[in-house]
Amino acid sequence: MVEIKQKEEKYRMNIRKTASQRYKTGKQKGETRQQKSSAAEIIEALFSLTKGLGVMAWMAILAVTIMFVGGMAWLRYINSSNGIGFKTNRKIDITPAQIESIRSIGQWEFLSISDEELIDTVDRGFIKDRELSRIYYGTLRLGVDLGKTGKQWLTKRDTIVIATLPPIELLDSNFVDEARTRSFFESGKWSDSDREQLYNRAKRKMLSRCMTKANISIAQENAREQFTQLLNAMGFNRVEVTFQDNK
């Protein structure tokens, strides 16, 4: 008996669950039908509004639409062409006054070399020899003379200022300090002409010792650095420094 009652109870619960599921499904279908009917009603209302319009009315609506779209496109074009834009002017202008102010510097020293030379000479005599030894001091100044620049020595390429300097040269040919010259050894009598010959020998020796490719290269590097700093201070950020060929 107990088993029969349990089976009956289980059967009733299954019937209730099935009925509940059928109710929910029916409700969802009803909502779907209601949504479809609402959409259909909207479409029918639109058709009813436009049903009475003739061909001329449709053409008028089309013309107004085209004019509206064209007007919007025209306004957008005008706004784009009249818009405010900002452009950076990277053009560099070098004025003649600036070029002349740099040229007015004249001689510009980039390397100074101090030298000391011992020069001697011996005169073999029939009875007695003569000997003269003198010490010479000199300072050789290497640099450029901006007064010797060419016509187009300062030019520009895009945003770069190009400076073509004269070749490195000896700025002062009188580099031997005669006031410091002294005799190291002297025997016998010597004329001023003899002493001048020693002076010229000392001068040539200083030139050969100091005017070397290595020292000229050092002077060029110093010139590039200092000239670049000068042009940077004048507002030119990109600078290229070259040198004229020695003629």
Side-chain angles (χ1 to χ4, degrees), residues 109 111-117 136-142 170 175-177 180 202 205-207 209-211 215:
E109 177 185 323
L111 183 64
S112 179
I113 308 170
S114 297
D115 190 23
E116 176 183 335
E117 299 291 343
Y136 296 89
Y137 299 91
T139 301
L140 287 77
R141 297 167 50 243
L142 278 63
L170 184 67
F175 52 85
V176 178
D177 189 356
R180 296 179 59 194
K205 197 167 184 180
M206 288 182 183
L207 281 173
R209 187 186 300 276
C210 300
M211 289 294 294
N215 287 336

Side-chain angles (χ1 to χ4, degrees), residues 79-161:
N79 291 333
S80 63
S81 61
N82 293 338
I84 300 175
F86 297 94
K87 294 183 179 180
T88 303
N89 185 11
R90 298 183 179 275
K91 186 178 180 181
I92 300 174
D93 293 325
I94 306 174
T95 64
Q98 289 175 317
I99 297 176
E100 190 59 33
S101 66
I102 298 173
R103 289 190 63 184
S104 64
I105 296 174
Q107 291 186 345
W108 193 342
E109 177 185 323
F110 296 112
L111 183 64
S112 179
I113 308 170
S114 297
D115 190 23
E116 176 183 335
E117 299 291 343
L118 174 63
I119 307 297
D120 59 358
T121 182
V122 177
D123 182 23
R124 305 293 181 179
F126 182 74
I127 300 175
K128 188 177 180 180
D129 296 338
R130 293 185 305 156
E131 185 176 353
L132 178 62
S133 299
R134 294 172 69 86
I135 300 176
Y136 296 89
Y137 299 91
T139 301
L140 287 77
R141 297 167 50 243
L142 278 63
V144 298
D145 187 353
L146 295 176
K148 297 179 180 179
T149 54
K151 292 182 179 179
Q152 300 294 327
W153 72 278
L154 198 59
T155 59
K156 60 182 179 180
R157 185 180 65 240
D158 296 331
T159 60
I160 303 175
V161 173

Side-chain angles (χ1 to χ4, degrees), residues 8-18:
E8 289 178 354
E9 186 67 27
K10 188 181 292 185
Y11 178 74
R12 291 193 186 105
M13 289 177 65
N14 291 333
I15 291 173
R16 291 172 185 169
K17 188 183 293 185
T18 303

